[in-house]
Amino acid sequence: MVRIRVLVVDDHRIFAESLAAALAAEPDVDVSAAGSGPAALRCLDRAAADGRRFDVMLVDADLGGNLPGPRLAVPVQEADKDGLVDGISLVTGVRSGHPGVKTVVLAEKDDPRRAALALGAGASGWVAKDCSLSRLLTVIRGVLRDETHLPPALLTGVLRELTAARKHRTESERLVESLTPREREVLRCMVAGLGRKAVAERLFLSPHTVRTHMQNVLGKLGVHSTLAAVALARRAGVGPADLGSVSLVSAGSR
């Protein structure tokens, strides 16, 4: 029998351990539970290192502050000083670090915008927390067949949100393409959180020249602040500059 390895991630201890215990009663399911994003990532890393990768991660949409509660049958891994990671950010991290793991978001209520964000982050499903165990098992087995699962009532709203997000991304990409290579380099430094002086040192430019490039970037992108420029850049898929290497653009290019 092929067994399905499931990781439940929820900081509501009673819910996490109760769900994990219910899933563990299934003959073809192995389950573990984690009480935070950092703890979940550690579980995934350890399982991968041991050659026993998880197949599906069930993550709370509202992953956040831990709540006290009694311990039940399945132990929950504790958070540590890494801090908290919200559910959708965890989905993004898992897609990047553990692309073979399917993720399903468990939600208290239907929310088309957040469901669209979850799917965009790499989730394969959005399921109500109060759904039946049989429904949840259907979703788990479905996502392993590369299916995407959404409540029917959410479908129209999610499609609307995804269409709007695609439109915004296309427009953002067009604006970024209008930048010169040097301006794109400056924008990537801005995405990395570097200030004007740090950008100047990294790109071997004067602070005055960097200021001019930053003003040009803001103007071409049609925004009025660095934060807005970074948000637009992220929508366009622009990543941060690699701070471990120097610019590939010639230092003589101003």
Side-chain angles (χ1 to χ4, degrees):
M1 177 188 297
V2 177
R3 301 188 67 79
I4 303 171
R5 300 203 68 221
V6 177
L7 177 63
V8 177
V9 187
D10 197 306
D11 51 17
H12 294 70
R13 182 181 301 279
I14 293 177
F15 176 84
E17 294 185 333
S18 296
L19 177 57
L23 291 170
E26 295 295 313
D28 63 339
V29 177
D30 291 328
V31 62
S32 298
S36 73
L41 293 173
R42 291 196 300 276
C43 285
L44 292 169
D45 289 341
R46 283 197 299 268
D50 293 341
R52 302 179 68 247
R53 298 177 185 275
F54 284 96
D55 301 301
V56 179
M57 180 180 73
L58 306 177
V59 57
D60 179 19
D62 298 313
L63 191 66
N66 294 309
L67 296 178
R71 300 191 67 82
L72 299 180
V74 181
V76 169
Q77 300 292 323
E78 297 288 353
D80 64 4
K81 294 180 181 179
D82 303 74
L84 300 170
V85 178
D86 68 88
I88 293 177
S89 295
L90 179 58
V91 171
T92 302
V94 170
R95 179 179 65 176
S96 174
H98 300 275
V101 178
K102 302 291 186 180
T103 58
V104 175
V105 176
L106 305 178
E108 292 279 0
K109 60 182 180 180
D110 288 344
D111 185 331
R113 185 187 67 82
R114 295 187 69 203
L117 287 174
L119 293 181
S124 297
W126 177 280
V127 182
K129 276 191 168 185
D130 60 359
C131 74
S132 66
L133 181 61
S134 62
R135 167 60 181 163
L136 183 57
L137 288 167
T138 296
V139 171
I140 289 172
R141 295 186 171 105
V143 299
L144 289 175
R145 296 191 296 268
D146 292 326
E147 299 172 0
T148 299
H149 284 257
L150 284 171
L154 270 184
L155 186 57
T156 299
V158 168
L159 289 176
R160 185 184 302 116
E161 292 287 340
L162 291 175
T163 299
R166 188 177 300 112
K167 179 180 179 181
H168 289 317
R169 180 180 177 88
T170 300
E171 175 65 12
S172 299
E173 289 172 342
R174 184 187 67 78
L175 291 170
V176 169
E177 288 173 357
S178 72
L179 302 179
T180 66
R182 174 61 80 189
E183 289 165 352
R184 291 182 196 174
E185 187 87 6
V186 170
L187 178 59
R188 292 183 66 230
C189 289
M190 293 164 68
V191 173
L194 299 183
R196 187 188 309 166
K197 182 178 179 181
V199 175
E201 293 175 352
R202 173 181 166 76
L203 301 183
F204 307 104
L205 301 173
S206 71
H208 175 76
T209 300
V210 170
R211 178 182 180 184
T212 299
H213 283 313
M214 286 183 165
Q215 290 174 337
N216 290 340
V217 167
L218 297 183
K220 290 183 178 181
L221 297 184
V223 296
H224 301 288
S225 71
T226 297
L227 287 177
V230 169
L232 187 150
R234 289 193 177 279
R235 286 199 300 272
V238 176
D242 180 2
L243 301 183
S245 62
V246 297
S247 169
L248 296 180
V249 180
S250 168
S253 173
R254 307 297 186 189

